[in-house]
Amino acid sequence: MSKLARVYNRSRVPLYLQVASVMRQRIEVGHWRSGQRISTLEELEREFEVARVTVRQAVELLAEEGLLYCQQGRGTFVADEAPKRRWLNLATDWASLIEPIKDHIPKIIAVQNPPAGPVLGTGEGKAAHDYVYLRSVQFRDAEPFSIVSLHLARDLFDRAPAEFRKHPALPVLASFERPRIKRAHQTLVIGGADPETADHLKMGVGAPTAECRCIVVDEHDRAIYVGNITYRSDCIKLHMELFRRPSLRGSVREDAGRRPRARTA
Amino acid sequence: MSKLARVYNRSRVPLYLQVASVMRQRIEVGHWRSGQRISTLEELEREFEVARVTVRQAVELLAEEGLLYCQQGRGTFVADEAPKRRWLNLATDWASLIEPIKDHIPKIIAVQNPPAGPVLGTGEGKAAHDYVYLRSVQFRDAEPFSIVSLHLARDLFDRAPAEFRKHPALPVLASFERPRIKRAHQTLVIGGADPETADHLKMGVGAPTAECRCIVVDEHDRAIYVGNITYRSDCIKLHMELFRRPSLRGSVREDAGRRPRARTA
DNA sequence: CTCAATTTGTTCGTATGTATG
DNA sequence: ACATACATACGAACAAATTGA
């Protein structure tokens, strides 16, 4: 068995879908540019070591997605209007988390059996007395990009229920003078969509998602916001400012204030 | 067509694989606990709205993966030894980026046609005069978890070539007194594995990856480190400290030093 | 011990999808 | 486009193991 065949066999996904994934990726990262003619079917056959029909199935799929088009006698081309991916910048600090989402309009999902309260791990604070459970789908340009499942301390929700239903919760929360927020943190892992998620986010079952757990704790160590957010993984981009020296000239921004120097070689 | 069938049809991945994905996820997030008996085949048939054989194929797959085992007449159970996922904490700040990786041992990959130099976008600094191109696979416990493709300013590489070949580059870089680092940043998106990546990381072609672009710029705005890092997406976890109030009592750590308050309701 | 209920395991026939040359 | 082989998916029926009454 050839080396490539062994790699294909690591997955039970049909071969033409694996080939299509690779080609799709090449278009999306710009390795194959808009309007450009891509390799001939024969070249692709040889490169991917699959039968001609298999390449064609992959090409057909991408053509259906609007990424490629074929012209008999001329070749296969990347679509001219670059269906550019539009990124949603996921924040790694509070200010840039609040800002871009505050104008999003969530669509509330009805919940039949709301959980009693959030399950809190160690270091996630103490539970509030009571929570409301809110579930919503977030949209941008009529395209759903995430599902938020949120436990919100009831006393805070009761202060502005209408606001909390119309807007994302974090900006509303940030607008309150009290209680003061002591800490907000978030962890992210990659998961796969279950049928309900896939339905809401218009994606395939098992397709990758980014699962965020975001927790806000007040000055009394009360977990006032405990949210699980599931994003389509194909529209998010994380930017991390790892280090920025307090600059001598130029813009001064958030800074760790620490020199990045660790040890001697 | 039922609602579920429509959701399944969003993907051309075989049905039993979609079902298996959902079940695998349930085990991994602990919704189905170690040793617990899961629903009977008949219940699963009804829940997923698929034929018995299809459920069986999914169960068989997960049994092969060591996540489930079946006993005729008794039922199907989640494996007792929880094959816990071991997370690799991806850093969102410099100090915690350097620390955990400094003892990893990269395995250098030979490169036949090294690119001349990195492609730098706006805001990514000026190019250095010359670069070395290094490519390596990172391991933890003999398990590959990422591929690093790195452009490193040649003058820096020449100072400690042996070190740069034996250890991850960032800790070595951090150990230098000069040049001083002005800024380090990183962006992350989710992608899919191409055949070469899949081979190195022992994953399926098209399976999700986390693609990091990490850039380190020196005091003269020179991009001295331009790295593209591809992680298996199933072993990484990102922790983001969004906000931490400079605490009155208790531990004081890196802090934005800014109050998270944005506007009035 | 036997019986019935439960649950996984196996088989058949049919239709469609995938992959090769 | 064709012939071929194998995988996927359905529904249904039957066999085999386990459990508890």
Side-chain angles (χ1 to χ4, degrees):
Chain A
M1 194 191 290
S2 88
K3 185 165 182 176
L4 258 180
R6 257 199 312 280
V7 179
Y8 292 137
N9 272 333
R10 300 193 69 89
S11 158
R12 306 218 194 175
V13 171
L15 203 39
Y16 77 99
L17 291 181
Q18 299 191 39
V19 174
S21 290
V22 179
M23 294 174 60
R24 190 186 298 108
Q25 192 79 356
R26 288 193 186 163
I27 296 170
E28 282 173 351
V29 304
H31 185 74
W32 284 349
R33 302 191 178 283
S34 273
Q36 179 188 338
R37 204 187 84 187
I38 67 172
S39 321
T40 67
L41 291 188
E42 305 224 345
E43 287 168 325
L44 292 171
E45 277 180 57
R46 274 196 298 277
E47 181 189 349
F48 290 111
E49 298 178 20
V50 294
R52 184 187 204 96
V53 193
T54 308
V55 177
R56 279 210 53 77
Q57 277 178 293
V59 169
E60 234 164 66
L61 184 64
L62 297 181
E64 282 174 28
E65 293 176 14
L67 294 173
L68 290 180
Y69 63 90
C70 312
Q71 284 191 16
Q72 212 176 105
R74 290 227 305 144
T76 304
F77 302 81
V78 179
D80 308 281
E81 11 72 39
K84 271 269 180 180
R85 277 218 241 171
R86 293 192 39 220
W87 299 109
L88 190 79
N89 267 302
L90 270 201
T92 50
D93 68 284
W94 182 265
S96 45
L97 176 66
I98 300 292
E99 182 53 28
I101 65 173
K102 72 168 195 284
D103 295 322
H104 283 156
I105 339 135
K107 194 174 114 192
I108 300 281
I109 308 173
V111 182
Q112 38 281 71
N113 295 357
V119 202
L120 291 170
T122 57
E124 297 192 331
K126 296 175 293 197
H129 287 121
D130 198 11
Y131 288 93
V132 267
Y133 186 69
L134 298 171
R135 204 135 190 281
S136 61
V137 181
Q138 311 285 319
F139 289 82
R140 186 183 55 175
D141 304 335
E143 289 293 319
F145 64 86
S146 79
I147 301 180
V148 179
S149 304
L150 170 63
H151 294 273
L152 183 66
R154 186 175 294 276
D155 55 327
L156 296 178
F157 173 76
D158 286 341
R159 284 198 212 164
E163 291 292 313
F164 278 115
R165 288 193 200 281
K166 271 202 297 266
H167 304 287
L170 279 181
V172 180
L173 209 57
S175 73
F176 290 166
E177 274 300 317
R178 304 237 146 231
R180 313 223 298 192
I181 290 162
K182 179 178 171 188
R183 184 183 174 213
H185 62 115
Q186 180 168 243
T187 58
L188 180 151
V189 300
I190 305 303
D194 60 51
E196 200 199 343
T197 303
D199 189 21
H200 285 306
L201 298 184
K202 297 187 187 167
M203 59 195 302
V205 174
T209 57
E211 310 273 348
C212 281
R213 182 168 171 88
C214 179
I215 292 173
V216 179
V217 164
D218 75 4
E219 53 202 328
H220 305 105
D221 255 337
R222 238 179 20 135
I224 55 178
Y225 174 111
V226 181
N228 276 84
I229 308 157
T230 301
Y231 295 89
R232 289 180 61 117
S233 71
D234 61 358
C235 67
I236 62 161
K237 184 176 215 164
L238 260 91
H239 181 88
M240 292 161 265
E241 205 62 44
L242 297 166
F243 174 80
R244 195 191 275 266
R245 170 183 301 281
S247 70
L248 314 167
R249 47 160 200 267
S251 67
V252 178
R253 298 225 314 219
E254 299 106 75
D255 241 314
R258 275 216 258 167
R259 285 279 301 292
R261 190 123 312 153
R263 49 165 205 175
T264 52
Chain B
M1 194 191 293
S2 88
K3 184 165 184 178
L4 258 181
R6 258 199 312 279
V7 178
Y8 292 136
N9 273 333
R10 300 193 70 87
S11 157
R12 305 217 194 175
V13 171
L15 202 38
Y16 77 98
L17 290 181
Q18 299 191 39
V19 174
S21 291
V22 178
M23 295 174 61
R24 191 185 297 109
Q25 192 80 357
R26 288 191 186 167
I27 297 170
E28 281 173 352
V29 304
H31 186 75
W32 284 349
R33 301 187 180 284
S34 272
Q36 181 188 335
R37 204 189 88 187
I38 67 171
S39 321
T40 67
L41 295 186
E42 307 220 343
E43 287 169 325
L44 292 170
E45 281 179 53
R46 276 195 298 274
E47 180 189 350
F48 290 111
E49 297 177 21
V50 296
R52 174 170 208 138
V53 194
T54 308
V55 177
R56 277 204 52 75
Q57 277 179 291
V59 169
E60 236 163 64
L61 183 63
L62 297 182
E64 282 173 28
E65 293 177 14
L67 294 173
L68 291 179
Y69 63 91
C70 313
Q71 285 189 19
Q72 200 174 131
R74 295 227 305 143
T76 305
F77 302 81
V78 180
D80 308 281
E81 11 72 41
K84 273 269 177 177
R85 276 219 241 170
R86 293 191 43 219
W87 298 109
L88 190 79
N89 268 301
L90 270 201
T92 51
D93 68 284
W94 182 265
S96 45
L97 175 66
I98 300 292
E99 182 53 26
I101 65 171
K102 72 168 196 283
D103 295 322
H104 283 156
I105 341 138
K107 194 174 112 191
I108 300 281
I109 306 172
V111 181
Q112 38 281 68
N113 296 359
V119 202
L120 291 169
T122 55
E124 297 190 330
K126 297 175 291 196
H129 287 122
D130 197 12
Y131 289 92
V132 266
Y133 186 68
L134 297 171
R135 203 136 191 279
S136 61
V137 181
Q138 311 284 319
F139 288 82
R140 185 182 56 175
D141 305 335
E143 288 293 319
F145 64 86
S146 79
I147 301 180
V148 179
S149 304
L150 168 64
H151 293 273
L152 183 65
R154 186 176 293 276
D155 55 327
L156 296 179
F157 173 76
D158 286 340
R159 284 198 213 165
E163 290 294 312
F164 278 114
R165 287 192 199 282
K166 272 202 295 267
H167 304 288
L170 279 181
V172 180
L173 209 56
S175 73
F176 290 166
E177 274 301 315
R178 302 241 147 228
R180 315 223 299 191
I181 290 162
K182 178 177 173 191
R183 183 181 174 215
H185 63 115
Q186 182 168 242
T187 58
L188 180 152
V189 300
I190 306 301
D194 59 52
E196 199 199 344
T197 303
D199 189 21
H200 285 306
L201 298 183
K202 296 189 188 167
M203 59 195 304
V205 173
T209 56
E211 311 272 348
C212 284
R213 181 167 172 89
C214 178
I215 292 173
V216 179
V217 164
D218 76 5
E219 52 202 328
H220 304 105
D221 257 337
R222 245 187 5 146
I224 55 177
Y225 174 110
V226 181
N228 275 85
I229 308 160
T230 302
Y231 295 89
R232 290 179 61 115
S233 71
D234 61 358
C235 67
I236 62 162
K237 184 176 216 163
L238 260 91
H239 181 87
M240 292 161 264
E241 205 63 43
L242 297 166
F243 173 81
R244 194 191 276 268
R245 171 183 300 281
S247 70
L248 315 167
R249 49 161 198 268
S251 67
V252 178
R253 300 224 314 215
E254 297 107 74
D255 241 311
R258 274 216 256 169
R259 284 278 301 291
R261 190 121 313 154
R263 49 167 205 176
T264 53

